[in-house]
């Protein structure tokens, strides 16, 4: 990680900063909805967290979260990419790193920061200078051929979320086959199916973050 230097604790040692988790995926796949569903789960688990959203030239996703009543609005920061969304999470993540550092300064006990990328395509990936671990979200309405297209985002993410599983019968998707192909192209790496309207799968996503990033079993 290439974050800016952490504060020094009373014993003279550098403090460990908040874990940083990316959430990427195509437009409309459910990235913001996943965060909204995760917020009460993480709160119940006593995890001290904040969120950084990315949009092209607006702060719409940040304002949506701030208005939701789910989280202290001060814990939501916004980055305007101003260009291709993956530029500020991969090529030059300086703006996002700075936003995360600012949140850590404002909330010294912060354990976790969620970075939501602007909506992008299957090539979107996160720089490991920015995040420790990252999630990629796709949805069944985008087509059951998405796993077979083997986009870098789908292949390289630490956790793949297949969202809107409730829509599968309405869009002609064989959900079992889609999930099977996703697991196959990812060589067995984690895949979680979700329906965020009913919070199906959200606890499993929180479990994955807790165990893989926060080392809480």
């Amino acid at each position: 990680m290439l974050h800016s230097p952490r504060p020094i604790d009373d014993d003279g040692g550098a403090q460990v900063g908040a874990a940083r988790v990316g959430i990427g995926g195509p437009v409309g796949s459910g990235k913001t909805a996943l965060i909204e569903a995760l917020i009460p789960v993480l709160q119940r688990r006593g995890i001290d967290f904040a969120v950084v959203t990315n949009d092209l030239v607006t702060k719409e996703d940040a304002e949506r979260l701030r208005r939701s009543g789910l989280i202290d609005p001060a814990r939501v920061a916004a980055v305007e990419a101003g260009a291709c969304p993956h530029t500020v999470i991969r090529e030059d993540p300086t703006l996002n790193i700075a936003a995360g550092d600012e949140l850590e300064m404002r909330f010294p006990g912060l354990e976790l920061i969620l970075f939501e990328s602007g909506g992008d395509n299957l090539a979107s990936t996160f720089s490991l200078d920015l995040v420790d671990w990252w999630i990629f979200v796709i949805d069944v309405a985008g087509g059951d051929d998405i796993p077979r297209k083997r986009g870098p985002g789908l292949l390289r993410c630490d956790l793949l979320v297949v969202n809107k599983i409730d829509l599968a019968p309405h869009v002609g998707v064989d959900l079992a086959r889609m999930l099977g192909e996703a697991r196959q192209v990812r060589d067995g790496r984690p895949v979680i199916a979700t329906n965020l309207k009913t919070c199906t799968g959200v606890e499993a996503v929180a479990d994955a973050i807790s165990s893989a990033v926060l080392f809480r079993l």
Side-chain angles (χ1 to χ4, degrees), residues 1 5 12-13 26 29 39 78 90 99 120 128 132 139-140 144 158 166 169 210 214:
M1 298 294 290
S29 58
I39 286 172
R90 187 174 70 197
D120 210 333
L128 295 184
D132 306 294
D139 71 278
V140 300
D144 59 3
D158 296 288
D166 53 311
S210 294
L214 302 176

Side-chain angles (χ1 to χ4, degrees), residues 154-205:
L154 185 150
L155 294 178
R156 297 178 189 173
C157 64
D158 296 288
L159 171 64
L160 176 66
V161 169
V162 180
N163 190 30
K164 304 181 185 178
I165 57 174
D166 53 311
L167 297 183
H170 305 291
V171 293
V173 167
D174 182 332
L175 181 60
R177 185 178 69 182
M178 184 178 182
L179 292 173
E181 290 176 345
R183 294 185 176 101
Q184 181 179 15
V185 300
R186 284 177 51 75
D187 294 324
R189 297 171 71 198
V191 176
I192 295 176
T194 61
N195 172 2
L196 298 176
K197 289 185 177 180
T198 62
C199 289
T200 300
V202 175
E203 291 283 351
V205 175

Side-chain angles (χ1 to χ4, degrees), residues 15 23 34 48 54-56 72 82 95 111 118 122 128 130 134 165 190 196 199 204:
Q15 293 180 348
I23 300 177
L34 176 60
D48 192 341
N54 282 246
D55 277 304
L56 190 60
D72 176 0
L95 291 174
E111 300 172 82
L122 300 181
L128 295 184
L130 172 62
W134 58 285
I165 57 174
L196 298 176
C199 289

Side-chain angles (χ1 to χ4, degrees), residues 36-124:
E36 288 175 328
L38 280 171
I39 286 172
V41 176
L42 298 176
Q43 289 171 340
R44 286 197 302 271
R45 297 182 182 205
I47 296 171
D48 192 341
F49 68 98
V51 180
V52 177
T53 68
N54 282 246
D55 277 304
L56 190 60
V57 291
T58 71
K59 298 180 181 178
E60 185 171 339
D61 286 343
E63 292 303 327
R64 171 176 164 178
L65 292 174
R66 289 167 181 160
R67 292 193 304 264
S68 70
L70 295 169
I71 187 171
D72 176 0
R75 288 178 173 263
V76 181
V79 169
E80 293 185 34
C84 181
H86 65 229
T87 301
V88 291
I89 64 167
R90 187 174 70 197
E91 278 79 17
D92 182 7
T94 306
L95 291 174
N96 275 291
I97 292 172
D101 290 348
E102 173 63 27
L103 284 168
E104 288 194 54
M105 291 177 64
R106 194 182 309 164
F107 301 101
L110 214 56
E111 300 172 82
L112 173 69
I113 304 175
L114 301 176
F115 289 84
E116 179 194 352
S117 171
D120 210 333
N121 55 39
L122 300 181
S124 178

